[in-house]
Amino acid sequence: MLRRTSVTLTRRLIVAATAGLAAACAPAAAAGPVPAPSAADASTGPRGGRVYLLSEVDVRPELQNRREVPQLIRANYPSLLRDAGIEGTVVARWVLGVDGRPERSSIRVVSATHPDFAFGGEQVAARMRFSPAQVNGKAVRVEVTLPISFTVH
């Protein structure tokens, strides 16, 4: 029974994380042509350069460590809330660097169904890994907003 519950939880967490990323990466209304990244926009590290919106990039970031996310969520689920059977969602926003990693100092909790989920949501967001967003074939920084769901099953 424990194995089946674990598999069900893992599937639901993957679906929740995938659904959240799909919603965050959904096409937005066209805002006109996007200028190509200039030399000033180029970054040799995780910081520096313009921050694009998802609607402005040619290639959207894709979650690369999809299989690890459910484990990250389980590991960062506040134990008091988990033991009480309280589920919730954190909406986090951050700047994704040209290396596909969230810029840790930019991670912000936009909303949380319970304040104790906020820290866990930040920790999960910090460990997510993406393919970089691209404009005209160059990796660029992009702002990402993503829901992170904590469920008990």
Side-chain angles (χ1 to χ4, degrees):
M1 183 65 179
L2 180 61
R3 172 82 175 130
R4 183 180 176 110
T5 302
S6 176
V7 170
T8 301
L9 173 62
T10 300
R11 285 185 184 145
R12 288 185 181 170
L13 293 172
I14 290 172
V15 168
T18 303
L21 182 60
C25 294
V34 176
S38 67
D41 287 336
S43 175
T44 57
R47 307 225 189 294
R50 175 180 171 202
V51 177
Y52 287 81
L53 300 175
L54 280 173
S55 62
E56 298 178 309
V57 301
D58 300 328
V59 178
R60 294 173 185 262
E62 290 186 29
L63 186 62
Q64 298 295 302
N65 62 339
R66 185 177 315 273
R67 291 185 181 174
E68 293 173 38
V69 171
Q71 296 162 1
L72 294 171
I73 291 173
R74 264 194 311 276
N76 289 284
Y77 202 126
S79 58
L80 290 174
L81 297 179
R82 182 184 54 239
D83 294 347
I86 298 172
E87 299 180 336
T89 301
V90 170
V91 176
R93 179 175 295 142
W94 64 87
V95 173
L96 188 65
V98 296
D99 61 355
R101 295 174 180 259
E103 294 179 4
R104 196 163 182 97
S105 64
S106 73
I107 299 172
R108 300 286 181 264
V109 171
V110 176
S111 66
T113 54
H114 189 286
D116 290 348
F117 284 124
F119 181 75
E122 289 176 357
Q123 296 304 305
V124 172
R127 305 256 327 260
M128 289 181 162
R129 299 296 178 256
F130 296 84
S131 60
Q134 294 183 20
V135 172
N136 294 329
K138 294 186 179 194
V140 295
R141 297 167 72 215
V142 66
E143 182 179 82
V144 174
T145 303
L146 188 66
I148 300 167
S149 297
F150 294 86
T151 59
V152 178
H153 290 286

